[in-house]
C-alpha cells in the first residue's frame, strides 16, 4: 500500500533538485508544513485533487480561476486557435 502523500513527497524532492530555492508561487511553498500538499493533479469548480488522490475544497481560489472555478465547461470548450 502506498504511503499517504507519497507522490507529493517525491515531487517536493525533485523540485528541491531542479528549482532554485525549491517551490515558489504566491508564497514560499518550502515553508509549508510537510503534510500540506504542494502538487495538485486537477480541479473542478471549487474542488481540487492532489497528486495522491486526496480531495480538498479550494479555499485559496487558486488566484486564477477565482471567478469561474476550475475547469469551467465554457472555458474548457472555448476555441482559442
Amino acid at each position: 500500500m502506498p504511503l499517504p502523500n507519497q507522490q507529493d513527497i517525491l515531487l517536493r524532492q525533485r523540485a528541491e533538485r531542479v528549482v532554485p530555492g525549491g517551490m515558489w508561487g504566491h508564497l514560499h511553498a518550502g515553508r509549508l508544513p510537510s503534510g500540506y500538499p504542494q502538487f495538485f493533479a486537477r480541479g473542478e469548480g471549487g474542488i481540487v485533487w492532489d497528486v495522491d488522490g486526496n480531495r480538498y475544497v479550494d479555499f485559496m481560489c487558486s488566484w486564477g480561476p477565482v471567478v469561474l472555478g476550475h475547469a469551467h465547461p465554457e472555458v474548457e470548450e472555448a476555441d482559442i486557435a
Side-chain angles (χ1 to χ4, degrees):
M1 175 183 294
L3 298 171
N5 301 329
Q6 184 176 15
Q7 291 300 314
D8 192 82
I9 291 167
L10 294 172
L11 288 169
R12 282 181 190 230
Q13 292 169 348
R14 181 175 187 271
E16 289 173 5
R17 292 190 314 268
V18 300
V19 178
M23 292 294 298
W24 282 85
H26 61 279
L27 55 85
H28 189 302
R31 295 183 183 143
L32 295 172
S34 61
Y36 188 93
Q38 291 185 18
F39 296 91
F40 292 87
R42 68 185 182 98
E44 185 176 322
I47 306 295
V48 292
W49 287 263
D50 68 14
V51 294
D52 291 294
N54 301 303
R55 180 177 178 231
Y56 303 89
V57 174
D58 182 13
F59 287 116
M60 299 274 306
C61 299
S62 288
W63 291 34
V66 69
V67 177
L68 300 174
H70 298 276
H72 190 281
E74 288 185 37
V75 174
E76 295 296 309
E77 293 173 12
D79 181 8
I80 59 171

